[in-house]
Amino acid sequence: MLSRRSLLASAAASGLAAAMPRMSQAQTTGFSQFVDPMIGTGGHGHVYPGASVPFGMVQLSPDTDNARWDACSGYYYDDKTLLGFSHTHLSGTGASDMLDLLVVPAIGEVRIKPGTLADPEGSYRTAMSHGQEHSRPGYYSLVMPESGIHAELTASARAGLHRYTFPEGKDAHLLIDWAHGFRNYDGSATKIIASSIELRDEQVLVGSRQVRQWAQGRYIHFAMKLSQPADSMTFYKDDTEITGATTYQGQSLKVALHFGQGLKGPLLVKVGLSAVDIAGALKNLDEDGLGFDFEAMSGQAAAQWDTHLSPIEITTDNADQRAVFYTALYHVQLAPTLFCDVDGRYRGMDKQVHQLEPGKANYSTYSLWDTYRALHPLLTIIDPPRAAAFAQNLIEQGEQSPSGPVIWPLQGVETFCMIGWHSAVVIAEAIHKGLPVDAKRAWALYRQLAFGRNTPGLNAYRGFGYIPCDLEGESVSKTLEYAYDDWAMSHMAQAAGDYMSAALLRERSRNYRNVFDAKTQFCRPRLMSGQWALPFDPRSMGHDSKRWWDYTESNAWQATFLNQHDLYGHIGLFGGDAAFEAKLDALFNAPSDLPPDAPPDMTGMIGQYVHGNEPSHHIAYLYAYCGAHYKTQTRIRDILKTQYRAAPDGMAGNEDCGQMSAWYILSALGFYPVDPVGGVYVFGSPLFPHARIHLPEGRTLTIRAEGTEMKPYIESVTWQGRPWSRSWISHADLLQGGELVFVMSEKPNPAFGFDITDRPPSFQFS
């Protein structure tokens, strides 16, 4: 143990002033007041309720568990115990990582082991109660019933600030667990390659570590400042007390900061993070210039959220629907996350340190298999500069990555999670919509992927026109998604002036046909011989459950409708409009049972439609392409009403870094991008009587839906005061601003959007 005297002897005091005790201010009266961060913290939502700013680098939030799937964000609403508060969290993912630097406020005896949910005795876990918990954008608080400690959290872009009010007359301490992280599902510890922790002076603690979890080998550094000096500190390595130095190295490091009964008001703890080095963490800690002013920081966070929630104004008398909408708008702006230091340095995909040009930023946490579908299209409407920045950033990350175009980058590391290279879709969409993205630079990067890369299964895809299921797992889904990526890359090539490659990719994007079985009318696994694999059950994940799946988090029912870009060619495979419509009906009316090996995120089922997972998200809109748009309307209204609720378990499935919420936002407004690259939106069933979207350059898009509360069907549409017979509208039209008016009805109007000239365009270049 290092005493106060030895601390003073080993390093000079920093002279940081203690903050005065103050309680948190009342919630803002802006749009933040409608947000409930607890929505999605239960069920399979996998979101965290803690403090962050829009797209912030720090996510300061409570951890209730770190060892099971439903606690991927570190928090699960049904848990009864609390571990502490850590600084990095994933929002709504189905994979787990992060939870860096756990801070555990406590009184009395120091306990250094985390225990488990099943056996918390003797550990630093403590009971928690939702009755004494509060969360709003940029702020979180909890009173711990066993100790009476009041914990409050807030954040700025690169730093987190804790405020702990301890009960008087109790020995107070903080445990800093630098070994904490998401454990493996088998219960084994977080894989730490190396870590260190150093006492700079009696109020400054710093540390570094490299972690091998989902993101293999990511770096993280922290700098922590205390508003009041500790009386003493006790360091632990492998849960054993160690002494004799101020710097320690090892794979399991912890430190207890002892304050006794001498605290003068609340204790504030400020933490800056960096993936570059400790110097970067120290700079990031002081970047906001707010020091230990908790009220100023929480107020600033609330103001940022009010600004970022203000692009869309809705009118409704339904408080729950308003909460769901603005919480969704909050969730879509938690990721991607800032991943660069205030001085412009960042750790790239090659794990080397790079320097940004002035005015630019680097980001992380791109859940692209999910978010290309609705989140990035939404940003092209409400925040085009950010959408462009993300697209350009994905190009830069692909240039740096040893594996080329990125798939699912996290903290400067390619996770290779999910299938396809849907960064191509985000970039191509931005190019097609006229955002300032370098098409030639993009195509120079993706040309090799299009024509030269081999794994996983790309040579087979090019040679056979599909991926044989006896060569590669998830073969059907990969074939279908590679085809859509070909469509996206064809737009890149076209924009870069490589018209021959664009034509080749446009044709190759129709490879989806090669896994379609006309006899069963399902997309099925196919062998190298060309034969269909047996046995076949459209509900199953694959033909050989002992070997691998043929579908990615889906089955043949959902995969059969995965085509997003060549819809009229797709409809032709079924034999025309009526057959395609009947197959869609069969999907929604099929029994909802799944085989035992189905992944847990296939939830939110309506028949075999699975709203809790992304491959289904565009399917209800496909009726518009076969002349039965009124069925899109009723299905969308049903999904909006049944799959989203203002409750902790109010999401049908994983939030997936904003995709589940982005679907809700766009669909509630009345339109959705079946093919994001194509630049058009198919009408659905607008949920609110009035919405206003603030567009760039002061333009406004007003959406009115007359009689929408009890009327799901579109009787007619006017755009800019003129009758509009189309079942869709283009991005270019929407971005001009104006007024879009839906006249709603209790009964369907089958004539709306029935004529082929009024159906959405597909497989077209602008």
Side-chain angles (χ1 to χ4, degrees):
M1 178 183 292
L2 294 179
S3 67
R4 172 80 69 85
R5 181 172 297 177
S6 61
L7 289 173
L8 290 168
S10 65
S14 66
L16 299 173
M20 295 299 293
R22 289 183 291 181
M23 299 304 292
S24 175
Q25 294 174 344
Q27 184 166 327
T28 68
T29 57
F31 291 97
S32 295
Q33 67 181 303
F34 304 129
V35 174
D36 181 2
M38 287 295 168
I39 294 175
T41 57
H44 296 317
H46 292 191
V47 303
Y48 62 86
S52 183
V53 296
F55 307 105
M57 185 172 174
V58 170
Q59 307 87 37
L60 181 52
S61 190
D63 292 352
T64 64
D65 192 26
N66 62 340
R68 76 191 195 282
W69 184 68
D70 268 329
C72 278
S73 73
Y75 183 98
Y76 190 59
Y77 189 83
D78 291 350
D79 290 344
K80 306 301 182 185
T81 57
L82 172 77
L83 285 159
F85 308 96
S86 66
H87 294 76
T88 57
H89 295 81
L90 291 166
S91 179
T93 57
S96 51
D97 205 324
M98 316 291 271
L99 313 186
D100 296 296
L101 191 66
L102 187 74
V103 177
V104 184
I107 58 174
E109 175 190 359
V110 175
R111 297 177 176 180
I112 60 173
K113 293 186 177 181
T116 64
L117 284 174
D119 184 17
E121 292 300 319
S123 72
Y124 59 68
R125 285 179 184 265
T126 185
M128 67 174 295
S129 168
H130 298 305
Q132 300 183 81
E133 182 181 35
H134 179 68
S135 180
R136 64 174 185 263
Y139 175 83
Y140 174 89
S141 73
L142 175 69
V143 177
M144 304 175 198
E146 291 183 333
S147 65
I149 298 169
H150 184 197
E152 298 174 277
L153 312 175
T154 190
S156 58
R158 295 177 174 87
L161 183 59
H162 313 233
R163 182 164 67 183
Y164 298 117
T165 304
F166 290 87
E168 294 183 4
K170 301 290 185 180
D171 287 335
H173 70 268
L174 298 179
L175 178 70
I176 311 301
D177 190 343
W178 194 213
H180 177 75
F182 205 94
R183 302 176 69 87
N184 299 306
Y185 293 140
D186 63 8
S188 58
T190 302
K191 297 177 182 177
I192 298 174
I193 299 171
S195 69
S196 64
I197 198 163
E198 175 188 353
L199 178 66
R200 287 287 175 92
D201 60 44
E202 63 177 347
Q203 290 174 256
V204 178
L205 192 70
V206 299
S208 302
R209 72 176 186 173
Q210 189 180 13
V211 182
R212 187 180 297 278
Q213 287 296 109
W214 179 34
Q216 297 284 296
R218 64 181 181 87
Y219 292 87
I220 188 74
H221 310 269
F222 79 87
M224 173 186 288
K225 287 185 179 181
L226 306 172
S227 64
Q228 302 181 54
D231 288 340
S232 61
M233 298 186 186
T234 309
F235 290 82
Y236 302 89
K237 181 177 180 179
D238 300 323
D239 293 339
T240 301
E241 183 176 343
I242 50 178
T243 60
T246 56
T247 301
Y248 300 97
Q249 296 180 341
Q251 292 182 321
S252 180
L253 299 175
K254 302 173 186 177
V255 57
L257 313 180
H258 305 275
F259 298 92
Q261 299 180 27
L263 284 172
K264 299 175 181 178
L267 173 68
L268 289 106
V269 181
K270 193 172 186 182
V271 175
L273 300 179
S274 170
V276 176
D277 53 25
I278 288 173
L282 285 164
K283 291 178 182 177
N284 291 343
L285 187 151
D286 292 324
E287 172 202 7
D288 51 53
L290 298 175
F292 291 113
D293 192 334
F294 190 94
E295 300 302 335
M297 188 180 291
S298 62
Q300 189 177 85
Q304 288 183 54
W305 278 115
D306 283 341
T307 298
H308 279 258
L309 295 169
S310 64
I312 307 178
E313 301 176 48
I314 61 167
T315 299
T316 178
D317 294 328
N318 189 315
D320 283 351
Q321 287 182 1
R322 183 168 53 239
V324 170
F325 185 89
Y326 280 104
T327 303
L329 193 54
Y330 166 77
H331 280 144
V332 301
Q333 297 179 90
L334 289 174
T337 56
L338 189 66
F339 190 61
C340 56
D341 291 348
V342 65
D343 59 10
R345 295 182 304 153
Y346 69 98
R347 193 170 297 276
M349 296 296 291
D350 53 4
K351 296 188 179 178
Q352 302 302 306
V353 177
H354 298 264
Q355 180 69 50
L356 288 164
E357 298 174 5
K360 294 189 66 176
N362 183 59
Y363 297 90
S364 176
T365 320
Y366 284 101
S367 186
L368 295 164
W369 185 81
D370 310 289
T371 58
Y372 85 84
R373 306 167 196 267
L375 184 140
H376 291 279
L378 173 63
L379 291 177
T380 66
I381 298 172
I382 65 172
D383 196 350
R386 193 173 299 273
F390 287 158
Q392 192 65 36
N393 185 226
L394 289 170
I395 297 171
E396 294 160 0
Q397 292 196 22
E399 291 171 338
Q400 293 169 359
S401 176
S403 55
V406 296
I407 299 172
W408 211 122
L410 175 64
Q411 300 275 294
V413 177
E414 178 59 81
T415 67
F416 300 102
C417 187
M418 307 312 295
I419 61 173
W421 285 265
H422 297 317
S423 53
V425 181
V426 175
I427 295 164
E429 177 193 21
I431 292 170
H432 191 194
K433 291 180 175 178
L435 299 180
V437 176
D438 192 333
K440 290 187 175 180
R441 189 172 167 186
W443 179 233
L445 172 65
Y446 283 84
R447 184 189 296 113
Q448 174 65 16
L449 172 65
F451 299 117
R453 287 280 297 277
N454 178 25
T455 57
L458 282 171
N459 273 356
Y461 171 78
R462 300 185 192 105
F464 288 92
Y466 65 95
I467 299 176
C469 64
D470 44 352
L471 279 181
E472 183 84 18
E474 302 172 272
S475 61
V476 179
S477 292
K478 286 178 180 176
T479 298
L480 297 168
E481 297 202 25
Y482 291 3
Y484 189 61
D485 288 342
D486 279 347
W487 171 245
M489 290 188 291
S490 71
H491 283 261
M492 280 189 208
Q494 184 89 2
D498 187 350
Y499 305 117
M500 182 177 294
S501 292
L504 289 171
L505 288 168
R506 191 157 59 250
E507 180 56 32
R508 199 173 77 188
S509 76
R510 304 185 78 186
N511 275 354
Y512 70 87
R513 298 172 296 180
N514 298 326
V515 291
F516 181 82
D517 175 16
K519 184 177 180 180
T520 63
Q521 292 196 329
F522 282 106
C523 286
R524 293 181 52 183
R526 196 171 181 182
L527 301 165
M528 283 188 287
S529 66
Q531 300 299 308
W532 300 112
L534 295 172
F536 174 67
D537 177 353
R539 301 170 307 127
S540 73
M541 306 301 109
H543 73 285
D544 183 356
S545 60
K546 295 180 180 179
R547 193 175 184 193
W548 50 42
W549 287 346
D550 294 317
Y551 303 91
T552 301
E553 297 187 3
S554 58
N555 61 26
W557 274 110
Q558 299 98 49
T560 295
F561 296 102
L562 192 55
N563 187 293
Q564 296 173 254
H565 63 290
D566 182 23
L567 270 304
Y568 298 110
H570 191 209
I571 290 170
L573 297 179
F574 290 83
D577 290 347
F580 186 74
E581 180 184 346
K583 192 69 173 184
L584 281 170
D585 288 343
L587 167 80
F588 283 102
N589 293 321
S592 293
D593 56 315
L594 292 171
D597 66 337
D601 42 13
M602 289 182 68
T603 54
M605 298 189 71
I606 303 173
Q608 284 289 319
Y609 173 88
V610 180
H611 192 70
N613 213 8
E614 280 69 22
S616 288
H617 275 192
H618 66 287
I619 293 177
Y621 287 92
L622 297 183
Y623 282 110
Y625 294 82
C626 63
H629 188 267
Y630 70 96
K631 291 187 177 180
T632 283
Q633 298 158 28
T634 188
R635 289 297 181 191
I636 294 303
R637 180 61 66 88
D638 182 49
I639 296 167
L640 285 167
K641 289 292 188 71
T642 63
Q643 303 300 312
Y644 296 85
R645 296 185 302 110
D649 63 348
M651 288 185 175
N654 300 165
E655 162 65 358
D656 284 319
C657 294
Q659 169 58 28
M660 195 69 66
S661 289
W663 187 97
Y664 182 89
I665 292 166
L666 289 168
S667 295
L669 291 172
F671 48 82
Y672 187 83
V674 169
D675 171 16
V677 176
V680 303
Y681 305 91
V682 179
F683 293 146
S685 179
L687 190 59
F688 304 113
H690 188 273
R692 180 180 294 110
I693 304 175
H694 299 283
L695 302 170
E697 300 177 4
R699 296 186 294 273
T700 300
L701 171 63
T702 299
I703 302 169
R704 290 196 292 113
E706 298 175 3
T708 189
E709 289 88 345
M710 304 300 295
K711 300 177 180 179
Y713 296 104
I714 297 174
E715 176 65 31
S716 63
V717 177
T718 59
W719 169 242
Q720 308 290 44
R722 299 186 299 273
W724 186 267
S725 61
R726 294 173 177 174
S727 61
W728 59 279
I729 193 166
S730 73
H731 179 80
D733 280 333
L734 287 184
L735 265 288
Q736 291 176 7
E739 187 173 58
L740 180 64
V741 179
F742 297 90
V743 176
M744 307 301 290
S745 173
E746 295 179 0
K747 297 180 180 180
N749 176 10
F752 181 78
F754 177 80
D755 192 275
I756 189 67
T757 61
D758 294 327
R759 299 180 194 179
S762 185
F763 203 65
Q764 291 186 356
F765 271 60
S766 58

